[in-house]
Amino acid sequence: MSEPTRDRRGHRETGFTLIELLVSMLVMLLVMMVTNGLLVESLRIFSNSGRELREPGTELALRLLREDLHAAAPLPAGISWTHTGLTCHRSGRIEVWEVDDGRLVRRTFDPDLNLLGTRPILDHIITFRWQTIANGVVMVELVRTKPSGASALRVATAAWKSVSETLEAAQVIAGSRIEGIGP
């Protein structure tokens, strides 16, 4: 056996062997690959979230529609699919949901049918239809063109389901919480 290598002062040399360096570099490479994957995924989520925030509030629009249906006088059962505006008679006002030139809008009227305002809700609507499935229970279906740049794994779009490469659809079912028969 040979003696350990000694420097000029007679001390043993310290350091890492080539094998130790290779193993540590492989571990560091593995950690960097995992970190890179997490960074890429977080950037994808961030960019999709930003696009969703710039787009009209899709989830908020469906929630607003649901709330209007809950607060409206109940519509009678037996209304089959219709593509005309959905009228919600609320206390002190009337909300009408309809498509105007490819845009879903919500028009608010007073009880005397004076227009109080029109609010654009969603763009690129192709189909807006509704029916009553029971007394006071309304089913609404919306089909729209997917927003440009939408990925297959969009963030925060639980209500919207992909129909094709370019279309997505949402369905809202809500019942009136008001007793009595509608207008």
Side-chain angles (χ1 to χ4, degrees), residues 31-88:
V31 168
M32 289 174 60
M33 286 174 47
V34 169
T35 304
N36 183 51
L38 291 172
L39 179 63
V40 167
E41 182 67 13
S42 66
L43 286 173
R44 184 192 63 77
I45 290 171
F46 179 75
S47 67
N48 284 342
S49 297
R51 184 185 43 74
E52 287 292 329
L53 289 174
R54 287 188 303 273
E55 184 179 279
T58 57
E59 301 296 323
L60 183 62
L62 297 178
R63 187 178 319 139
L64 184 61
L65 175 58
R66 195 173 290 114
E67 287 175 8
D68 277 351
L69 290 168
H70 286 313
L75 294 168
I79 299 174
S80 61
W81 288 113
T82 180
H83 295 271
T84 61
L86 174 60
T87 303
C88 300

Side-chain angles (χ1 to χ4, degrees), residues 59 62 142-144 146 152 154 156-171:
E59 301 296 323
L62 297 178
L142 294 162
V143 177
R144 72 177 187 159
K146 286 183 183 176
R154 289 180 47 196
T157 57
W160 292 94
K161 306 297 181 214
S162 183
V163 175
S164 70
E165 290 280 328
T166 58
L167 300 177
E168 59 187 3
Q171 187 177 64

